Amino acid sequence: MDGVPALDEPLKKTVGGPTAKVLADHLDLRTAGDLLHHYPRRYAERGELTRLADLPLDEHVTVVARVEDARLHTFNQGRGTRLEVTLTDGSGRLQLVFFGRASRHHQRELLPGRRGMFSGKVGVFNHRRQLAHPAYQLMDGEGDAETARAWAEEIIPIYPACAKMESWKISQAVSTLLDTLEATGWEGVTDPLPERLRAGRDLAPLPEAFRRVHRPANRADVDRARQRLKWDEAFVLQTALARRRHAETRLPAVARVPRPDGLLAAFDARLPFTLTDGQLRVSAEILGDLATEHPMHRLLQGEVGSGKTLVALRAMLAVVDAGGQAALLAPTEVLAQQHHRSITEMLGDLAEGGRLGAAEHATRVVLLTGSMGAAARRSALLDLATGEAGVVVGTHALIEDKVGFHDLGLVVVDEQHRFGVEQRDALRAKGKQPPHLLVMTATPIPRTVAMTVFGDLETSVLDQLPAGRSPIASHVVPAGDKPHFLARAWERIREEAEAGHQAYVVCPRIGDEAEEPAGKGARAAAGEEPGGDGGDGGHDGDDGAGAGADRRPPLAVVEVAERLASGPLAGLRVEVLHGRLHPDEKDEVMRRFAAGEVDVLVATTVIEVGVNVPNATVMVIMDADRFGVSQLHQLRGRVGRGSAPGLCLLVTEMPEGSPARARLGSVAATLDGFELSRIDLEQRREGDVLGQAQSGVRSSLRMLAVIEDEEVIAEARDEASALVAADPELEHHPELRTALDALLDAERERYLDKG
């Protein structure tokens, strides 16, 4: 094939220029390998009718169904024609509609009783699901009884498709490509899995897997192909991660060992409580890594309130003890200011380094954010450059070129998912030698996700809450069905405020956009009337439930706060907090809330992480169905942080039985973040575990599901680690090296480098 590997051949050579152009422009399929890896989403049998009742709105679908009825209507005094066709599958009905002259042609073809494949985008008209001008292919069998039986039993692959390229056209293109490859004996197609691994697990050779997944004779063919192709994805990805881990162990780093009578020891002696067993165990793992002469790369994940910040602070003090500096990178100014405040409070006079009356071994803790005044900024930069500041807490401002360190020894990244790789690496590059890296997340990550997304980091888990943390009760408030439940939620806030406690009310949107009036959505939130239409846009984390024209926009902080202050919460001190406020204003609001000078804080998800107000006991989350499961769990963790029990109320207008309502029920039913993260992932699917948002490339995981395929991923990690240990450069595995090169372009390679 002209020296080009078969799977790298441009598609136009096999399927023709026009088809190749549509595949490239609309599905990003450009090579033979791209098309072969575009696997069927599901399979239909000609005798099997798919469930029309479950079709998702606004998605392009292909259905296999039977024509029940077809009627031609005229309008505009007979000048216009409209054909309405009803499909059925036993579970529900779907309407097809065609306009114009062609409708009479379609009426002659789409006769009652005929069966076919129909493809289009699902819409709604008059409360009925509808496909307008769908493409279709009728599937009537002809010939003798044996031919008819074979036709009825044939398995039809249904591909992810688009309006310009229906599933059956993709199937035809795949079939043409398979015929071409078969004719050449699959010349130039290399198999990335080592023969030993393939034979040991009875995995099909790659050409056979492609044949079976695209042209299955039966369901067993599909299962055998899927098992092989899952191993491809898992093993190639885990090999890439194993090579990263191996490369990191070869980098030099300065070992940072704390003095036995230094800053860390002085801090520990002052702690007014005993560290949990989990905190002691994880701290020992981190201090062990810091004492080695290659960079630590560790992921610290822990439940909300498990004490991650304390563990990270002990690591930072150990590095300062050993003569280095530590930087904590936070995603928002509110969180950076909160970290700076809590660290200086925990350290007391140990944070007064260089000042009169400072404790022995004290260091200096500085804050660096983009909104700081010029004088404060100059002072902080000087402290960093001279080494006076052992600890710096900051936002993206830490990454700027003019920021220099005397001896950066440790980078702590809080809420890793908020940062792109380039930002984190820019901070690490400020060390004279590669600094140690500690990545923190309060979002619990299932084991297999950690092995894929963070596969080149060692993982520590804090799953034990410190003594004194109170339980949090969670309930779904069905405001649509039972508005009086929402009224009771506002009464609960008032009761807590009268008992001396405080509350959060969280909304998906800021509001106060110049072009929008305060709509009925805000009035409904205040208990005045259900339903209505609020503002526009906003974060929508729901899973498609309730999508469509009838749904009002998400509720907004500004409007809800105004309605509550003049309505059900009149007389209480109500304030707002959101990202559009000036940083000084945000900090002042948080300071007053923490000091008990505000009863109710109406906020966006800016309070999701890091905010610690032990006196806050109630959280009401408006339009809770618009947030993801893990995000709701994060938000809920802001209450119950003191001695009084916490209460989280998840307000929704979604009806009983909807997927969104079920999701909220899952959150209310458990406080186990790891269980919720599994639920979240199963419902969202995992997308691209290499991070589509950061890398801007298509998903590399088409077959592998990181929750369902835990065993495959774990085994692939072990196999890949052993192979890379024996052959780091893959000199004896050129086929695997080729597959890695195809997976990891330079951008994706950088994304994989979590440390």
Side-chain angles (χ1 to χ4, degrees):
M1 289 205 177
D2 303 328
V4 178
L7 299 190
D8 291 341
E9 283 282 353
L11 275 174
K12 64 183 178 185
K13 287 199 168 189
T14 46
V15 303
T19 299
K21 184 171 184 348
V22 175
L23 289 170
D25 291 349
H26 296 276
L27 293 169
D28 199 20
L29 304 175
R30 303 174 189 282
T31 66
D34 289 344
L35 185 56
L36 286 177
H37 287 103
H38 189 71
Y39 306 128
R41 172 160 47 200
R42 62 185 178 85
Y43 298 86
E45 294 174 12
R46 291 194 195 272
E48 165 200 48
L49 293 178
T50 56
R51 285 183 57 83
L52 298 182
D54 299 334
L55 290 180
L57 291 178
D58 296 324
E59 282 196 23
H60 200 278
V61 301
T62 299
V63 300
V64 181
R66 179 172 56 81
V67 177
E68 182 180 70
D69 183 48
R71 300 187 184 198
L72 195 65
H73 303 273
T74 60
F75 55 93
N76 275 355
Q77 298 175 329
R79 290 194 298 274
T81 57
R82 180 180 75 249
L83 176 65
E84 291 181 357
V85 179
T86 303
L87 303 181
T88 184
D89 69 346
S91 76
R93 287 175 171 77
L94 176 68
Q95 186 179 69
L96 312 181
V97 61
F98 300 88
F99 293 93
R101 294 176 189 165
S103 55
R104 295 186 186 277
H105 164 73
H106 296 308
Q107 184 187 28
R108 288 193 294 273
E109 287 197 333
L110 298 173
L111 300 173
R114 299 197 75 178
R115 186 176 289 157
M117 285 195 293
F118 303 86
S119 182
K121 189 173 184 179
V122 183
V124 171
F125 182 72
N126 280 344
H127 305 291
R128 295 180 66 187
R129 282 183 169 82
Q130 177 187 89
L131 302 184
H133 287 276
Y136 62 87
Q137 186 177 54
L138 295 173
M139 307 190 318
D140 292 331
E142 299 174 357
D144 58 24
E146 189 174 329
T147 303
R149 187 169 63 252
W151 175 90
E153 292 174 355
E154 183 183 345
I155 293 179
I156 307 161
I158 307 293
Y159 288 89
C162 65
K164 299 282 188 184
M165 181 65 64
E166 294 87 3
S167 173
W168 55 87
K169 290 183 182 174
I170 296 171
S171 184
Q172 289 165 358
V174 171
S175 193
T176 301
L177 176 58
L178 286 173
D179 289 344
T180 302
L181 290 167
E182 294 281 6
T184 65
W186 293 83
E187 181 187 348
V189 176
T190 58
D191 196 324
L193 293 191
E195 172 60 33
R196 176 194 55 77
L197 190 157
R198 232 175 30 239
R201 286 178 166 73
D202 189 30
L203 297 172
L206 189 56
E208 181 188 328
F210 283 138
R211 275 194 300 269
R212 287 178 187 251
V213 80
H214 292 295
R215 288 176 170 170
N218 49 48
R219 296 283 175 175
D221 272 2
V222 176
D223 292 342
R224 181 159 169 79
R226 286 174 63 84
Q227 185 64 12
R228 159 62 211 246
L229 296 167
K230 284 179 179 184
W231 257 96
D232 271 21
E233 292 177 3
F235 185 70
V236 173
L237 176 58
Q238 291 300 331
T239 300
L241 293 166
R243 294 188 74 214
R244 282 284 169 197
R245 291 194 299 274
H246 183 271
E248 294 292 356
T249 63
R250 312 301 288 259
L251 290 175
V254 177
R256 309 286 181 171
V257 181
R259 289 173 292 169
D261 60 346
L263 177 57
L264 178 57
F267 173 71
D268 285 347
R270 294 171 176 221
L271 283 176
F273 50 81
T274 305
L275 295 176
T276 66
D277 291 343
Q279 287 172 326
L280 289 169
R281 172 179 48 78
V282 171
S283 284
E285 291 169 353
I286 292 171
L287 293 178
D289 285 354
L290 292 174
T292 63
E293 293 184 348
H294 59 81
M296 170 175 74
H297 282 92
R298 189 166 287 276
L299 170 67
L300 171 57
Q301 52 173 320
E303 281 286 15
V304 174
S306 58
K308 293 182 304 301
T309 306
L310 177 60
V311 169
L313 177 56
R314 294 187 74 242
M316 291 191 279
L317 297 181
V319 168
V320 175
D321 244 355
Q325 292 170 290
L328 171 56
L329 182 61
T332 66
E333 294 213 359
V334 168
L335 187 51
Q337 288 158 346
Q338 177 80 23
H339 275 315
H340 180 255
R341 190 183 304 113
S342 63
I343 287 173
T344 51
E345 285 172 0
M346 281 194 280
L347 287 174
D349 59 3
L350 290 173
E352 300 287 325
R355 296 188 175 94
L356 202 60
E360 189 184 3
H361 308 303
T363 188
R364 190 170 295 174
V365 181
V366 301
L367 177 68
L368 190 64
T369 66
S371 66
M372 288 172 66
R377 184 178 178 77
R378 271 196 306 273
S379 174
L381 290 174
L382 184 62
D383 285 348
L384 288 179
T386 61
E388 284 289 324
V391 176
V392 58
V393 181
T395 56
H396 303 82
L398 282 174
I399 297 166
E400 294 174 7
D401 289 342
K402 61 185 73 169
V403 178
F405 289 84
H406 178 68
D407 181 12
L408 180 60
L410 171 65
V411 172
V412 180
V413 180
D414 193 19
E415 293 305 317
Q416 157 71 26
H417 63 282
R418 304 286 189 92
F419 292 98
V421 175
E422 294 79 8
Q423 296 165 321
R424 192 195 57 236
D425 286 351
L427 181 53
R428 290 186 66 213
K430 292 179 181 291
K432 293 170 184 171
Q433 283 193 309
H436 299 280
L437 176 71
L438 180 65
V439 170
M440 295 198 298
T441 179
T443 304
I445 302 169
R447 174 172 166 260
T448 46
V449 181
M451 283 194 293
T452 48
V453 182
F454 296 102
D456 55 348
L457 296 176
E458 299 299 328
T459 302
S460 294
V461 179
L462 275 174
D463 51 10
Q464 182 183 4
L465 294 184
R469 286 301 298 267
S470 300
I472 305 171
S474 303
H475 303 284
V476 178
V477 177
D481 309 344
K482 300 172 181 173
H484 60 286
F485 276 36
L486 182 56
R488 175 64 187 135
W490 306 132
E491 288 174 14
R492 284 292 293 118
I493 284 185
R494 191 173 280 284
E495 289 165 8
E496 289 296 311
E498 288 169 358
H501 297 304
Q502 295 160 276
Y504 298 100
V505 177
V506 180
C507 301
R509 191 167 56 90
I510 295 173
D512 202 22
E513 283 80 3
E515 71 278 6
E516 72 174 31
K520 287 190 289 185
R523 292 198 292 278
E528 295 184 25
E529 56 181 287
D533 52 332
D536 64 348
H539 171 79
D540 192 341
D542 79 358
D543 49 9
D550 297 339
R551 190 164 191 200
R552 63 155 173 76
L555 294 171
V557 165
V558 174
E559 296 152 21
V560 169
E562 191 178 303
R563 295 285 172 181
L564 292 176
S566 61
L569 301 184
L572 297 184
R573 297 167 295 179
V574 178
E575 296 219 16
V576 301
L577 180 70
H578 54 73
R580 210 182 292 146
L581 295 175
H582 186 275
D584 289 345
E585 200 176 350
K586 282 189 284 193
D587 199 34
E588 177 59 17
V589 171
M590 272 313 305
R591 187 200 63 73
R592 283 191 282 111
F593 187 65
E597 297 167 15
V598 175
D599 298 314
V600 181
L601 190 63
V602 185
T604 57
T605 55
V606 71
I607 61 148
E608 182 183 347
V609 290
V611 175
N612 182 29
V613 181
N615 193 46
T617 54
V618 187
M619 175 174 287
V620 177
I621 304 179
M622 307 304 295
D623 284 342
D625 49 274
R626 297 183 188 260
F627 299 96
V629 168
S630 294
Q631 192 171 34
L632 290 170
H633 183 59
Q634 291 292 307
L635 288 165
R636 171 172 59 185
R638 299 303 107 204
V639 296
R641 301 177 75 84
S643 55
L647 174 65
C648 180
L649 301 175
L650 306 168
V651 180
T652 180
E653 293 179 6
M654 288 292 102
E656 185 97 48
S658 65
R661 185 79 166 264
R663 194 155 46 82
L664 295 181
S666 301
V667 176
T670 181
L671 291 172
D672 183 340
F674 286 92
E675 175 60 25
L676 287 174
S677 68
R678 288 183 72 93
I679 292 168
D680 194 19
L681 203 61
E682 284 165 358
Q683 291 179 344
R684 285 188 299 109
R685 301 299 294 172
E686 51 273 4
D688 186 359
V689 300
L690 300 189
Q692 192 167 351
Q694 280 93 340
S695 67
V697 287
R698 273 186 306 113
S699 173
S700 59
L701 297 194
R702 299 169 179 82
M703 192 65 81
L704 197 69
V706 295
I707 290 293
E708 297 163 22
D709 299 317
E710 184 168 343
E711 191 176 322
V712 172
I713 292 169
E715 289 181 17
R717 180 181 168 98
D718 291 342
E719 290 276 4
S721 297
L723 184 145
V724 169
D727 183 11
E729 298 304 317
L730 306 182
E731 292 174 1
H732 304 295
H733 300 87
E735 298 86 356
L736 178 56
R737 177 77 229 197
T738 300
L740 270 182
D741 290 343
L743 172 73
L744 302 172
D745 57 29
E747 194 167 16
R748 196 183 285 260
E749 182 88 59
R750 280 200 305 277
Y751 184 79
L752 263 179
D753 184 9
K754 293 286 174 189

